């Protein structure tokens, strides 16, 4: 059973290194800002995920202790990566698209990046 | 066999860090620099995990998780600052 595990760990490590390199190379080589947003997601999900799974299997193989803590890191990265990408896309929109070209929001309030108040319009004080 | 694969993966992530550093220095827009810094944090997490495998000891799990959290929070804080001019409104 051990050689099978060893092959799995080796394959996972090679996949992790290759995808990490591909992600960062894409970040280096792609031409447009939004294209560059696409490349490092591969490094996040497949690269780090494969490295963490390889670590779990390796610890089980050589120290025979099964730990699931590493998967927490992977889960945290999987949760936070889309939020980061969303914020970066918003920065791109905010800085490149002129305000006149933005469509109306349809809610009576401005777009979130231009809206002046954080918690909605200030309520009118009752006049008596 | 795992040793060779570990060396390969460590080298790959090292080259990836160099690519990211180039993008941080050259990046035409500020979003590129933020994205490159975020990717650098992710590559550092991978390097920490691979170093843990190489040491064979208990994994540096806390270090990896701390890197993940501080990287995410700093990225969101910078993005929020650029979008609103204020981090906590």
């Amino acid at each position: 059973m051990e050689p099978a595990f060893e092959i799995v760990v080796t394959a996972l490590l090679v996949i992790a290194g290759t995808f990490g390199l591909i992600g960062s190379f894409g970040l280096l080589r792609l031409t447009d800002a939004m294209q560059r947003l696409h490349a490092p997601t591969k490094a996040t999900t497949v690269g780090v995920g494969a490295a963490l799974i390889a670590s779990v299997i390796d610890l089980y193989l050589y120290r025979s202790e099964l730990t699931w803590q590493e998967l927490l890191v992977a889960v945290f990265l999987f949760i936070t990566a889309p939020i980061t990408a969303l914020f970066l896309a918003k920065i791109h929109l905010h800085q490149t698209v002129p305000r006149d070209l933005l469509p109306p929001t349809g809610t009576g309030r401005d777009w979130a990046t231009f809206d002046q108040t954080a918690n909605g319009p200030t309520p009118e004080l009752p006049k008596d | 066999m795992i040793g060779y694969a570990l060396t390969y993966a460590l080298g790959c992530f090292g080259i990836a860090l160099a690519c990211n550093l180039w993008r941080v220095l050259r990046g035409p827009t500020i979003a590129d620099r933020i994205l490159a810094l975020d990717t650098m944090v992710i590559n550092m997490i991978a390097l920490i995990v691979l170093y843990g495998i190489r040491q064979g000891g208990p994994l540096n799990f806390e270090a990896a998780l701390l890197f993940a959290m501080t990287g995410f929070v700093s990225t969101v804080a910078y993005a929020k600052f650029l979008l609103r001019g204020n981090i906590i409104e």
Side-chain angles (χ1 to χ4, degrees):
Chain A
M1 207 56 189
E2 284 225 341
F5 274 126
E6 201 163 320
I7 289 171
V8 169
V9 171
T10 308
L12 281 173
L13 285 175
V14 170
I15 290 171
T18 309
F19 270 84
L21 187 56
I22 287 173
S24 294
F25 189 67
L27 181 66
L28 188 63
R29 285 292 295 170
L30 291 176
T31 52
D32 187 52
M34 286 297 99
Q35 286 179 358
R36 283 197 284 271
L37 190 56
H38 157 81
T41 53
K42 271 81 237 165
T44 309
T45 52
V46 185
V48 181
L52 286 163
I53 295 171
S55 162
V56 171
I57 299 176
D58 188 76
L59 244 72
Y60 180 64
L61 192 59
Y62 289 111
R63 293 170 64 89
S64 63
E65 44 186 73
L66 196 55
T67 57
W68 297 105
Q69 302 162 339
E70 290 86 348
L71 294 183
L72 272 181
V73 181
V75 168
F76 187 81
L77 284 179
F78 282 16
I79 292 173
T80 57
I83 303 173
T84 308
L86 172 74
F87 269 108
L88 290 171
K90 273 177 91 172
I91 290 175
H92 179 76
L93 270 181
H94 184 62
Q95 292 188 336
T96 56
V97 179
R99 193 171 175 179
D100 315 334
L101 296 183
L102 290 175
T105 55
T107 60
R109 294 186 56 188
D110 208 350
W111 286 92
T113 47
F114 294 112
D115 204 8
Q116 286 304 311
T117 52
N119 299 312
T122 48
E124 296 277 328
L125 288 176
K127 297 186 182 81
D128 51 1
Chain B
M1 192 159 65
I2 291 180
Y4 290 119
L6 257 181
T7 311
Y8 170 74
L10 283 168
C12 277
F13 277 108
I15 298 170
L17 272 177
C19 292
N20 293 332
L21 193 59
W22 181 256
R23 184 48 76 190
V24 170
L25 293 176
R26 282 294 303 276
T29 68
I30 196 116
D32 284 318
R33 293 176 208 260
I34 300 176
L35 178 62
L37 276 174
D38 193 61
T39 315
M40 275 182 100
V41 170
I42 285 162
N43 285 338
M44 277 309 298
I45 294 168
L47 276 182
I48 289 171
V49 171
L50 294 175
Y51 183 70
I53 298 177
R54 167 153 281 183
Q55 291 294 101
L59 180 76
N60 311 317
F61 156 72
E62 290 88 357
L65 197 55
L66 274 175
F67 258 76
M69 293 172 120
T70 49
F72 170 66
V73 169
S74 54
T75 305
V76 168
Y78 201 0
K80 191 84 178 151
F81 176 71
L82 284 177
L83 284 174
R84 295 288 293 170
N86 199 349
I87 296 173
I88 302 173
E89 297 182 77

